[in-house]
């Protein structure tokens, strides 16, 4: 079954670009990505641009409306994701706990719906 691991953290938390800590942090992400690839669990994943680049879209009464920024009003914002193919939720949680942002943010694990065509 596929599980989406959504990576949330507050902007400005964790290691920041142009600091000595960022190198080790990015190496930890590289190591995690290598691990899930080697274990045959990796389906996809990417980081997202900062929330200032987000646009939220909704349709009300047939009219498309847009709003700058993310929909959720929270200090923690979606920063990226991994899509993993795991045997079950317990295995997905095990891998989610290895994502470096779990140490200062949160990882939301959700099963992916598979639609029959």
């Amino acid at each position: 079954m596929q599980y989406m691991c959504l990576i949330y953290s507050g902007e400005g938390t964790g290691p920041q670009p142009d600091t000595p800590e960022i190198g080790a942090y990015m190496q930890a992400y590289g190591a995690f990505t290598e691990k899930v690839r080697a274990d045959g669990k990796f389906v996809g994943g990417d980081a997202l641009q900062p929330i200032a680049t987000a646009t939220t879209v909704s349709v009300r009464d047939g009219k498309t409306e847009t709003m700058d920024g993310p929909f959720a009003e929270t200090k923690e914002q979606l920063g990226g994701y991994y899509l993993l193919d795991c045997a079950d939720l317990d295995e997905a949680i095990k891998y989610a706990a290895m994502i470096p942002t779990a140490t200062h943010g949160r990882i939301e694990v959700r099963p992916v719906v598979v639609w029959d065509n």
Side-chain angles (χ1 to χ4, degrees):
M1 178 171 240
Q2 291 184 352
Y3 291 87
M4 181 73 72
C5 297
L6 302 166
I7 303 167
Y8 289 91
S9 65
E11 279 198 52
T13 63
Q16 298 300 300
D18 301 325
T19 65
E21 297 81 17
I22 195 68
Y25 186 66
M26 295 311 295
Q27 285 178 343
Y29 261 101
F32 175 76
T33 302
E34 284 182 29
K35 175 161 183 52
V36 292
R37 284 183 191 275
D39 290 353
K41 304 300 176 184
F42 183 83
V43 177
D46 277 302
L48 300 175
Q49 293 289 334
I51 61 170
T53 65
T55 302
T56 299
V57 177
S58 59
V59 178
R60 300 292 183 267
D61 298 320
K63 181 181 176 206
T64 300
E65 299 175 354
T66 61
M67 178 178 69
D68 290 341
F71 173 71
E73 294 187 23
T74 177
K75 291 181 182 180
E76 294 183 337
Q77 302 297 330
L78 180 63
Y81 71 94
Y82 280 93
L83 181 58
L84 305 178
D85 190 8
C86 296
D88 54 31
L89 179 59
D90 290 335
E91 184 178 50
I93 290 169
K94 177 186 89 168
Y95 282 102
M98 295 178 201
I99 297 173
T101 300
T103 63
H104 65 272
R106 300 184 195 289
I107 311 300
E108 178 182 344
V109 178
R110 295 179 63 180
V112 175
V113 174
V114 178
W115 299 102
D116 293 328
N117 291 328

